[in-house]
Amino acid sequence: MKKLELDRIQCVIFDLDGTLVDSEVICLQGYCDTVPDLDWDVHYMIENLRGCQFHAIVAAMEGRVGHKLADDYEITYRAHVAELFEAELKAFPDVVEVVSALNLPKCIASAGPPKKMQHSLGLTGLLPHFEGRLFSSYDVQSWKPEPGLFLHAAEKMGFAPQNCLVVEDSAVGIKAARRAGMQHLLHVPMGHEAFAGYDGEILKSYRDFPLK
């Protein structure tokens, strides 16, 4: 297993969904709820589509159900997920405490649209800790596993890629971090397992976050 080189880390780049906030299952359940003839359940979605781009997930669902989804499907989906967030969304245990105590520069790089990021962070009390340092794939038109979003975040934060640590929860996110030449830490909450073939360090609880 490759160990983190903590003395080289000058900036922390967090993913958002499934990493800071417990939203990944909610977001994937949203697809199941809004495509009634889809026979995939949320467990299948987690196993196969976790961390993937919205349009890639839509294409996969269209292939499964055998027809195009409505032109306004994204509006329907986003509105439903926003309602689910209002009812269910929480930050992972100890995240707020760790983020507020972290002395290193930090930012968020997420595949989600900026409006969704603002909503998630506002609901969970995290927004004040990242205000002005939110980077979205929708702004740079680069989606994981491509490294563009992470490289953009590092540049805007003013740090070389090799001095950044990416905290992620998905295989595509870890691949993007590797392609960007950054160190990476995989968030695997209790009761979950790392994706097959992962050989780096794992974070099971934010109480054990290696940078404090």
Side-chain angles (χ1 to χ4, degrees), residues 62-102:
E62 289 177 336
R64 182 64 177 176
V65 299
H67 61 80
K68 299 288 287 184
L69 300 184
D71 291 341
D72 64 350
Y73 173 72
E74 183 167 3
I75 295 173
T76 301
Y77 169 76
R78 299 287 182 203
H80 180 60
V81 168
E83 291 177 357
L84 294 177
F85 277 9
E86 290 284 345
E88 303 176 29
L89 187 65
K90 293 180 173 60
F92 283 103
D94 302 303
V95 160
V96 175
E97 292 81 2
V98 166
V99 164
S100 62
L102 184 60

Side-chain angles (χ1 to χ4, degrees), residues 15-17 19 24 28 45-54 56-57 109-112 137 142-150 166-187 194-198:
D15 173 52
L16 180 55
D17 293 305
T19 298
E24 194 71 29
L28 293 174
M45 303 288 283
I46 291 169
E47 195 70 27
N48 295 278
L49 296 167
R50 185 185 191 111
C52 290
Q53 179 187 1
F54 170 81
I57 294 175
S110 169
S137 287
S142 179
W143 275 266
K144 307 163 189 177
E146 296 304 317
L149 177 61
F150 287 146
V166 169
V167 186
E168 261 284 357
D169 73 304
S170 70
V172 292
I174 293 296
K175 184 178 287 187
R178 286 173 173 160
R179 289 179 174 178
M182 300 178 179
Q183 295 191 65
H184 50 79
L185 179 63
L186 182 67
H187 181 226
F195 59 86
Y198 181 69

